[in-house]
Amino acid sequence: MAKVTITLPELSGYCEAKVQTLVKEVAVVLRNKLIEYSPTGEVNGGTFKSNWQPPVFSDNGLTVRVINNTQNYGEAITFGENMPPSWKGKFRSRFGLMAGWPEKLAGKDTRDQIPGMWSSIVRRG
């Protein structure tokens, strides 16, 4: 384990830098998980999967958004929102996914990795 000596006034900056590093690394893991779980259609073969945008950071690097807003049907096949009328208000997935799969699958997998990622960041010093 790396040894770091900091003074009390430096503590908040040190902690904020570590959290920023964690957010950046978690964002990459989350985006990769979203791509992994994304369905690949038979007609257009992966347009949805390939359009997850790179992470966008805000709040001094402490908040991240990973979005797929380039597909007009993205909300329907991820969260069951803004579904086409032909779906008659019922979520559909040819791939066995449930409404909200980005949070329920990719989000859960990513959350489970955070403690190990944090330990690794702290060990680096």
Side-chain angles (χ1 to χ4, degrees), residues 12-82:
S12 66
Y14 173 80
C15 291
E16 185 172 324
K18 294 295 182 193
V19 171
Q20 287 172 338
T21 301
L22 177 67
V23 170
K24 287 177 184 173
E25 291 182 16
V26 166
V28 171
V29 170
L30 176 59
R31 182 170 182 256
N32 291 343
K33 287 291 178 185
L34 289 168
I35 291 169
E36 178 184 328
Y37 281 114
S38 291
T40 304
E42 298 160 9
V43 176
N44 55 10
T47 341
F48 178 79
K49 187 175 211 161
S50 64
N51 277 294
W52 286 103
Q53 302 300 301
V56 177
F57 299 95
S58 59
D59 299 327
N60 198 24
L62 299 174
T63 303
V64 65
R65 287 176 290 140
V66 180
I67 54 173
N68 181 334
N69 65 353
T70 60
Q71 301 296 312
N72 57 3
Y73 55 88
E75 286 183 310
I77 66 173
T78 53
F79 294 102
E81 297 174 5
N82 297 320

Side-chain angles (χ1 to χ4, degrees), residues 81-101:
E81 297 174 5
N82 297 320
M83 294 182 284
S86 62
W87 288 17
K88 298 178 182 165
K90 185 175 179 181
F91 181 77
R92 298 180 183 185
S93 173
R94 292 179 291 164
F95 308 99
L97 298 169
M98 73 290 283
W101 62 264

